[in-house]
Amino acid sequence: TRLTRRAMRAVIERLGGEPADCLAGLVAESERQGFRFVRRLVEEWRSGANRFDRPGEVLFAARSGDDVIGVWGLNVDPYAQNPRTGRVRHLYVLALHRRAGVGEQLVADIIETAGSRFSRLHLHTTSTAAARLYERLGFRPTLGAPHHSHALELEDPA
């Protein structure tokens, strides 16, 4: 028999202060899986290189009870010529909570949040599973684009 997990609803909150305080578990697990981008998020925050503080930028965590189970950020895309192009950054969900609807909830939240400021979203992933999730939620592959693997057109907020 196949075990099916019920879709869970995580509590999404905007992060402020020092994200390392609540992201240590995500950093550790992501590195065990060979990913460095969650640690890079923390390091860039500490150094001031990326505080998600320009207009339209946000950094959110997903919680289940007291535990942070996911994170995502949204920046102005530094590679795009258009300041109304956003970049989805550092989306990570703990393995235990994958395939339970948390990733879909986070991506839907990204799209909703981005719609007030951006007309297009870019992201880069090398993960086949992540690409399937993004594509299921409307992102399209952008073959040959040097700085992103997927894009999503949004209604123009202007």
Side-chain angles (χ1 to χ4, degrees):
T1 64
R2 187 175 162 184
L3 176 64
T4 331
R5 294 188 197 179
R6 277 186 301 164
M8 71 174 285
R9 194 85 183 134
V11 174
I12 308 297
E13 64 183 24
R14 189 174 192 147
L15 288 178
E18 175 60 52
D21 295 342
C22 66
L23 298 180
L26 275 71
V27 169
E29 182 186 282
S30 65
E31 288 186 335
R32 283 192 303 271
Q33 294 183 353
F35 299 113
R36 284 213 15 95
F37 62 88
V38 182
R39 176 171 300 282
R40 193 167 52 250
L41 177 157
V42 171
E43 289 171 354
E44 289 175 354
W45 184 282
R46 281 185 179 149
S47 74
N50 187 2
R51 291 278 175 95
F52 299 90
D53 56 2
R54 292 183 294 176
E57 295 187 339
V58 292
L59 179 62
F60 281 100
R63 288 188 182 272
S64 177
D66 291 334
D67 299 324
V68 173
I69 61 171
V71 66
W72 69 263
L74 178 64
N75 287 123
V76 173
D77 190 336
Y79 303 108
Q81 300 299 315
N82 183 345
R84 293 197 332 205
T85 300
R87 186 171 190 87
V88 178
R89 305 285 310 277
H90 310 299
L91 178 70
Y92 188 81
V93 175
L94 289 175
L96 179 66
H97 297 279
R98 294 181 194 153
R99 293 190 173 94
V102 176
E104 288 183 15
Q105 181 183 350
L106 291 174
V107 175
D109 196 46
I110 290 167
I111 293 168
E112 181 180 330
T113 300
S116 66
R117 174 72 182 180
F118 300 108
S119 58
R120 180 178 174 96
L121 291 178
H122 289 165
L123 63 88
H124 183 267
T125 186
T126 56
S127 163
T128 304
R132 282 194 303 265
L133 169 69
Y134 290 122
E135 290 168 19
R136 194 168 61 248
L137 297 172
F139 284 82
R140 297 290 167 242
T142 52
L143 301 174
H147 299 290
H148 60 277
S149 62
H150 291 78
L152 176 68
E153 299 296 329
L154 303 171
E155 287 190 29
D156 197 335

